[in-house]
Amino acid sequence: MHEQAKLAEYSTPYWWEAAPVRPVASQQLAKRVDVAIVGAGYAGLTAGLTLARAGRAVAVFDAMNPGEGASSRNGGITSGSIRPGPAAIARRFGEATALAIEAEGKTAREYLYDFIRTEGLDCDFRLTGEFKGALGYDQYETMARSADMLAKRLGIESYAVPHTEQQSYIGTGFYRGGTVRMDIGGLHPAKFHAELLRVALNAGVVVHAQTPVTAVDRAGPDFSVATGAGIVLARQVLVCTNGYTDGAAPYLQRRLVPVRSRIIATEVLPPDLMARLMPRRMMMRENRQLGFYYRPSPDGTRILLGGRDSSRVGDPVAPTQRLRNGLMQLFPELENVRLSHSWFGNVAMNRDMLPRIFERDGILYASGFCGSGVVWAPWLGSRAAHKLMGHEAEARTAFDFRPPAAVPLYRGTAWFMPAIIQGYALQDRFAMWRARR
Ligand SMILES: Cc1cc2nc3c(=O)[nH]c(=O)nc-3n(C[C@H](O)[C@H](O)[C@H](O)COP(=O)(O)OP(=O)(O)OC[C@H]3O[C@@H](n4cnc5c(N)ncnc54)[C@H](O)[C@@H]3O)c2cc1C
């Protein structure tokens, strides 16, 4: 194969082989709609579907092809996790909010699984469970207590796996035990998006691909939404642009920092090796700030491993090497294995690392999924739709509160990210040293 073509294939998401992102059939722009949605990822499409099924005229706009943002690039792990732990959330927002957020993770996962089942979405979903590795024995003890609490408080099947039993979950000697929770699984993210798109289109959602929204302004009782295809009037506007937010949503742009996340895929591995390294085909993660998430491909033939990509200009060499080193640290026997893919996408962080629905000047926003949007984006997209329709009970969520704080001195260039990443790397080194003393 020509070098250029090989490179393009290498840097294209593995997921696009089975479910390539593509434009949808173009449709004429309506003069007026009930709701205009910016962004056709999981959040925008779920919102659109919910609204269309309730009889609203909905137009969804995407600057790229639908799904070309994070929703077809991610790891497909239905983690639904929240970065700050319950104690940190309680300190900042109160005990009641912390408990509500923890419980909502369970509801949101169940919503996703039920949605996949009832709509018959063909997206390779399996409720495999997730193993989280501990760096040291102290960390293991803390994690074991959390697993126990999760089981007692929320009735989630969740338990500790001591170091001596670890090999039946993961073929590595790197961890000092870990915990398992059985309410997390894996899906094929691009297939899931393609299926969501199919269902949304069937429900009457009009999706305009490669049609950026450039501005949203008040026009009497309506909003005037300027798009690459012309102007549309909308009674309501919902912004679901997450890690791809641009100047069309300046209020959100100052509050969300896009951060690159990268995934590498190995070439096809021998079945006996896969069975040794990932005997239960679980989703995997660990407890480092710059830690890795990893999983078998849905067909169980290769390993996909993801983590932070701190490059600023998109040079894939250094971040790919960092992930490869991580893979070797876990599975030294993969030393000579070749990688077939290495790609990245944007996740969106806000200052308190909590996803949000919030309203500002009449525009509704659903975003800030902080790298855990497979569960949260469909959930909060659907809650946002109910909020627009005034369905109080269905719209209720612990994530509907004040907008995230603006990031100081930030206008779209995350100049501070390299320093933050370095800080995280130092914290990880210190945590590792303490864990292995
Ligand atoms: C590499 C990677 C791995 C990940 N792994 C996981 C995982 O394993 N588990 C998990 O839970 N989460 C994971 N995530 C996060 C998850 O993918 C996202 O949180 C989720 O897809 C966000 O969905 P969304 O609909 O909010 O945004 P997106 O899917 O990013 O869609 C936003 C869309 O908005 C569009 N847009 C932006 N501005 C405009 C404009 N002005 N006009 C029109 N359109 C616009 C963009 O083109 C884009 O398509 C990962 C993300 C990445 C990048």
Side-chain angles (χ1 to χ4, degrees), residues 32-345:
R32 191 167 189 281
V33 293
D34 292 322
V35 185
I37 298 177
V38 195
Y42 299 149
L45 286 184
T46 315
L49 173 65
T50 312
L51 287 157
R53 284 194 171 156
R56 303 299 191 274
V58 188
V60 181
F61 299 92
D62 204 293
M64 304 190 283
N65 290 319
E68 201 171 338
S71 292
S72 68
R73 297 169 180 269
N74 61 71
I77 302 175
T78 63
S79 53
S81 56
I82 293 291
R83 274 243 166 175
I89 298 176
R91 272 196 303 277
R92 201 167 151 74
F93 298 101
E95 188 71 25
T97 303
L99 283 175
I101 283 178
E102 194 176 70
E104 199 162 320
K106 185 177 177 193
T107 314
R109 271 182 220 101
E110 285 166 2
Y111 167 83
L112 175 68
Y113 304 158
D114 190 52
F115 179 63
I116 292 171
R117 198 172 38 244
T118 51
E119 302 289 339
L121 305 188
D122 176 11
C123 62
D124 300 337
F125 171 62
R126 282 186 65 208
L127 193 53
T128 54
E130 182 196 65
F131 176 89
K132 185 174 176 187
L135 298 183
Y137 293 111
D138 287 355
Q139 198 177 77
Y140 167 75
E141 293 299 336
T142 312
M143 284 166 55
R145 279 195 297 277
S146 299
D148 192 44
M149 229 154 62
L150 203 63
K152 288 195 177 116
R153 269 225 295 256
L154 295 179
I156 290 171
E157 186 184 347
S158 158
Y159 54 90
V161 178
H163 190 216
T164 46
E165 290 166 27
Q166 184 175 299
Q167 290 289 330
S168 76
Y169 288 82
I170 177 169
T172 181
F174 182 69
Y175 300 123
R176 300 297 184 256
T179 50
V180 164
R181 52 186 296 176
M182 290 306 298
D183 61 336
I184 292 176
L187 49 70
H188 188 302
K191 283 191 186 175
F192 173 59
H193 182 273
E195 285 284 87
L196 177 57
L197 179 62
R198 173 181 65 78
V199 172
L201 292 171
N202 285 345
V205 177
V206 176
V207 178
H208 297 278
Q210 300 178 8
T211 309
V213 167
T214 50
V216 179
D217 294 299
R218 268 274 175 214
D222 291 330
F223 289 95
S224 160
V225 181
T227 79
I231 288 181
V232 58
L233 291 178
R235 212 159 45 81
Q236 295 172 305
V237 174
L238 172 64
V239 176
C240 297
T241 49
N242 209 44
Y244 293 82
T245 301
D246 60 16
Y251 184 78
L252 183 63
Q253 199 181 27
R254 286 196 295 276
R255 284 159 174 78
L256 273 191
V257 178
V259 175
R260 273 192 192 154
S261 193
R262 179 172 288 275
I263 299 181
I264 54 172
T266 66
E267 62 185 355
V268 170
L269 302 174
D272 58 327
L273 180 58
M274 279 303 290
R276 207 163 55 245
L277 301 183
M278 298 194 157
R280 301 185 191 219
R281 288 208 188 176
M282 281 186 170
M283 305 295 117
M284 309 278 181
R285 73 177 169 127
E286 48 177 42
N287 227 353
R288 286 185 270 191
Q289 289 281 12
L290 296 180
F292 305 109
Y293 51 91
Y294 47 106
R295 58 168 293 175
S297 55
D299 63 3
T301 60
R302 41 179 116 210
I303 294 177
L304 277 58
L305 177 139
R308 215 39 88 235
D309 173 342
S310 50
S311 70
R312 294 179 73 186
V313 287
D315 172 11
V317 178
T320 300
Q321 190 58 44
R322 190 182 89 78
L323 297 187
R324 194 185 169 90
N325 292 346
L327 187 69
M328 297 310 117
Q329 193 174 42
L330 293 165
F331 306 119
E333 56 193 299
L334 294 183
E335 193 183 350
N336 296 319
V337 159
R338 286 199 341 211
L339 302 181
S340 59
H341 298 76
S342 171
W343 72 94
F344 74 91

Side-chain angles (χ1 to χ4, degrees), residues 424-437:
Y424 282 159
L426 271 176
Q427 280 179 37
D428 282 345
R429 250 180 263 152
F430 180 62
M432 199 66 197
W433 169 79
R434 260 185 42 172
R436 301 286 163 96
R437 261 178 316 174

